[in-house]
Amino acid sequence: MARIKDSCVEAVKQVADIVVLVEARTRLRKVGGRYTGRCPFHQEKTPSFSVSPDRGTYHCFGCGVGGDAITFVEETEGLDFVGAIEWLADRFNVPLEYEETSPQADAERRRRTRLRELLEQAAAFYERYLWESGAGEPVRAYLAERGLEEPICREFRLGLSPGGDSLARKAREKDFTDADLSAAGLLSRRGSDYFQHRLMFPLADARGRVIGFQARKLRDDDPLRGKYVNSPEGELFHKSAILYGLHLGRAAIAKQDRALVVEGNTDVIALRQAGLEPVVASMGTALTEQQLKELVRLTQRLFLCFDSDAAGEEATLRGMELALQRGFDVKVVSLPKGKDPADDPQGFEARLDDAEAYAVHRVRLELDRARDRQLAYLRVQEVLNSVPESPERHEAWRLANDRLGLTVQLRAAGGATMAGGAVSPKLLEASDRLELSALAGVRLHPTLGRILAELGPEHFDDPLNRRAVPVLLGVEEADAELGSLLAGLDARAVAEGIDEQTAEQLLLRLRERKLQRELADAEDARLPDLQQALARVRDRIREFA
């Protein structure tokens, strides 16, 4: 990592306004020479967080955290010292200089900076072409028909890509090479512009720096397939890490302690225009680990707003489950089939009042799509056993009982079922714990690798857990993120006292869960085989009793 010159670090410290930074996360009130508010690092009802602008420091009398602008950015943005200095320098317009570093590291830093400059200039080029050219007139009319006014479109920097190699020629005139254009995802294999005659949505990172584009098709002769096309995955652009509009909505998300997650970019734009600011789009319907890491720094309250079809897709449900496992309070805003938030942005706030808790939404969904009462019972039981104890879980349980006409037997905290009977805490099937404990068992007892190999990564919901499977089987090396997971597995195996028999039971429980899911969606012809397979797995589990 390149070392920033001490003089630049001091310059950043001098201009960084701690009040501005904290107010992006929590509401402050001026009291004499300081500011007070609720702590952004822990939940509290009585304000105990104090900011001293003259010293440039903060302190919470509730949880004890404290520091200056640099430590605040480190904690809230998840950055190291250098990253925090760069973030602050960018926020307060301080130019940075670096000490001598290795040629390779210096070249890499310069390259990434150059790619960002190219993407920034490309965004400005597309903007000018939309708003200042005759070719942009029908596209401007299209945006107006969608109810998107010019000020909000300019705030999101919407643009229009011309045909041919117009962008590439302009970039070459400014000494950018074809290699730069390709690395930025702006050049096709034929040497022309990658995006042709498309409505352009610049995609920014959390700091507002352009790292790619999403482009909407406008003409039938477009060489790219798909109504919407993203920049190719590259050095800067990774779709799974982006939340569209986060750089504009993050302050409102923190202040209002809620994030509205929608499907489409135009939904974000329309809702912000209507006055709903804590809105982002998930670049698809399935929330990812990286996106949740960005959101958890700002809030733990999510409102997921997808149409009726998308809200029942497996990928969407896995994203909801992942959010629940990461401690989010997840509510689902149901939309009529074929309707988007952008169709009625003014009335969207009212829909939030009717949002369903995830547990209720998921149980209702499983009840509606199960082919018979037995399968509905099993699916509902599995879902509710993976949900933490809460009023919402109880509401979903009562819904299931009413719809099924019988009482669903559930495990409660401490291992007891809600209708009596004991269940070993080691075999609790709450999704995250089941997966982690099973992996911890294999980590402690490598001979069980043969069973893990039979299961494969597809038996795990969590993306990181899926990545851990080939590492535990010895066919891949662990990166830093997986190294941290493996350390946690070692600690879990010891803390839970997972012996070899328990570990094997946990792996069988994963197989049981997978078969139950397949049964719920299986064609009639497959049902006998799946039911027999499930019976065999359960017989093996009972052998350990």
Side-chain angles (χ1 to χ4, degrees):
M1 178 75 67
R3 187 177 186 277
I4 302 169
K5 288 187 175 180
D6 291 340
S7 58
C8 295
V9 173
E10 290 303 316
V12 168
K13 289 181 178 179
Q14 289 297 320
V15 302
D17 189 329
I18 188 65
V19 174
V20 170
L21 295 172
V22 174
E23 280 191 321
R25 301 284 179 167
T26 188
R27 185 176 289 108
L28 294 177
R29 184 170 66 91
K30 196 170 190 300
V31 180
R34 61 188 179 90
Y35 292 80
T36 63
R38 292 177 181 167
C39 179
F41 298 103
H42 80 285
Q43 297 292 324
E44 62 177 3
K45 294 182 179 179
T46 304
S48 63
F49 194 79
S50 176
V51 179
S52 300
D54 55 336
R55 294 186 180 134
T57 60
Y58 64 91
H59 180 77
C60 178
F61 294 94
C63 66
V65 300
D68 59 9
I70 297 172
T71 55
F72 188 81
V73 171
E74 286 177 335
E75 291 297 323
T76 56
E77 300 295 334
L79 300 171
D80 59 14
F81 178 82
V82 172
I85 293 294
E86 290 176 335
W87 191 99
L88 288 165
D90 187 60
R91 174 67 178 78
F92 294 102
N93 300 312
V94 178
L96 294 180
E97 297 179 5
Y98 294 83
E99 303 285 2
E100 290 186 10
T101 59
S102 71
Q104 182 179 358
D106 199 40
E108 183 179 342
R109 180 179 57 80
R110 288 199 306 269
R111 173 179 168 78
R112 293 172 70 87
T113 299
R114 185 171 178 80
L115 291 181
R116 289 193 184 97
E117 290 172 353
L118 173 55
L119 288 163
E120 170 59 36
Q121 293 188 33
F125 174 83
Y126 294 141
E127 284 181 277
R128 289 193 298 272
Y129 194 68
L130 171 61
W131 300 107
E132 299 174 11
S133 74
E137 184 174 350
V139 183
R140 296 195 294 271
Y142 163 78
L143 292 170
E145 289 171 7
R146 293 291 304 269
L148 301 179
E149 300 171 2
E150 182 174 337
I152 194 69
C153 292
R154 286 188 177 273
E155 184 178 16
F156 282 87
R157 304 190 65 186
L158 268 57
L160 175 65
S161 58
D165 64 347
S166 303
L167 174 68
R169 282 189 287 105
K170 284 287 186 183
R172 292 174 187 128
E173 289 173 7
K174 296 185 177 182
D175 296 327
F176 289 103
T177 66
D178 284 4
D180 294 331
L181 287 161
S182 294
L186 297 171
L187 194 68
S188 73
R189 293 177 180 177
R190 300 183 302 276
S192 58
D193 292 350
Y194 186 78
F195 298 108
Q196 305 266 336
H197 306 294
R198 284 189 171 241
L199 176 61
M200 305 299 292
F201 297 83
L203 304 175
D205 62 15
R207 293 165 59 179
R209 300 176 299 184
V210 179
I211 55 175
F213 295 92
Q214 186 175 88
R216 188 194 189 280
K217 186 176 184 177
L218 297 172
R219 292 168 46 156
D220 292 335
D221 61 350
D222 193 314
L224 294 175
R225 297 179 179 179
K227 183 177 178 181
Y228 287 92
V229 173
N230 297 319
S231 294
E233 292 279 319
E235 196 168 344
L236 298 180
F237 177 74
H238 302 285
K239 177 185 173 183
S240 63
I242 295 174
L243 287 161
Y244 181 74
L246 180 62
H247 64 296
L248 295 175
R250 63 185 304 123
I253 291 171
K255 284 186 176 181
Q256 298 182 28
D257 189 24
R258 62 173 182 168
L260 317 182
V261 183
V262 296
E263 286 185 71
N265 297 354
T266 53
D267 295 327
V268 175
I269 299 170
L271 290 174
R272 187 174 178 86
Q273 180 177 255
L276 273 172
E277 296 186 350
V279 189
V280 295
S282 58
M283 300 292 293
T285 56
L287 283 168
T288 67
E289 185 80 51
Q290 297 97 314
Q291 291 168 339
L292 291 172
K293 283 181 179 178
E294 289 288 348
L295 289 172
V296 78
R297 296 168 182 157
L298 306 170
T299 184
Q300 288 191 305
R301 297 174 63 220
L302 298 185
F303 290 81
L304 306 183
C305 317
F306 303 130
D307 68 29
S308 56
D309 288 336
E313 292 175 356
E314 288 302 320
T316 310
L317 295 175
R318 283 198 299 273
M320 294 180 186
E321 291 169 0
L322 186 60
L324 200 72
Q325 293 164 14
R326 297 299 175 264
F328 285 93
D329 174 18
V330 181
K331 287 186 167 56
V332 182
V333 182
S334 298
L335 299 174
K337 189 169 184 177
K339 292 291 185 180
D340 297 318
D343 295 331
D344 182 24
Q346 298 294 339
F348 192 74
E349 182 76 64
R351 289 193 179 277
L352 299 180
D353 296 333
D354 297 326
E356 277 189 327
Y358 163 78
V360 177
H361 167 80
R362 185 64 183 271
V363 163
R364 193 185 306 280
L365 180 67
E366 299 298 346
L367 290 169
D368 288 343
R369 68 184 185 180
R371 59 169 33 90
D372 59 44
R373 193 167 71 157
Q374 181 182 4
L375 287 176
Y377 181 97
L378 292 172
R379 294 294 292 133
V380 166
Q381 185 183 56
E382 180 185 9
V383 167
L384 291 179
N385 277 337
S386 69
V387 176
E389 187 62 58
S390 63
E392 292 80 8
R393 183 190 192 229
H394 192 73
E395 180 185 354
W397 180 63
R398 285 191 289 106
L399 169 66
N401 294 342
D402 291 343
R403 288 276 299 271
L404 292 171
L406 49 82
T407 300
V408 180
Q409 305 294 307
L410 298 182
R411 287 184 301 275
T417 66
M418 293 176 70
V423 179
S424 168
K426 293 177 184 176
L427 297 180
L428 290 177
E429 291 180 12
S431 183
D432 194 42
R433 176 167 182 178
L434 173 63
E435 293 186 7
L436 289 173
S437 295
L439 292 173
V442 176
R443 177 80 168 165
L444 186 61
H445 307 286
T447 56
L448 296 177
R450 55 183 175 77
I451 300 178
L452 181 63
E454 292 173 2
L455 298 182
E458 63 273 15
H459 279 69
F460 295 84
D461 293 339
D462 188 286
L464 189 60
N465 293 343
R466 288 200 293 270
R467 288 179 54 211
V469 172
V471 174
L472 288 174
L473 295 176
V475 297
E476 290 185 13
E477 294 292 328
D479 57 20
E481 189 175 21
L482 283 171
S484 177
L485 174 67
L486 295 178
L489 295 179
D490 291 337
R492 177 181 288 269
V494 174
E496 295 185 359
I498 301 175
D499 57 31
E500 190 167 355
Q501 284 193 344
T502 299
E504 187 171 350
Q505 290 179 71
L506 292 167
L507 292 169
L508 289 171
R509 291 287 183 181
L510 286 174
R511 181 59 181 151
E512 179 186 39
R513 184 180 71 175
K514 182 76 159 52
L515 287 169
Q516 287 175 335
R517 291 175 177 177
E518 291 180 6
L519 269 169
D521 300 322
E523 300 291 336
D524 290 341
R526 291 194 63 214
L527 286 177
D529 290 340
L530 289 172
Q531 288 169 342
Q532 289 177 17
L534 182 58
R536 287 194 298 270
V537 169
R538 286 176 171 166
D539 286 342
R540 290 180 63 189
I541 293 172
R542 280 194 288 269
E543 291 174 4
F544 292 98

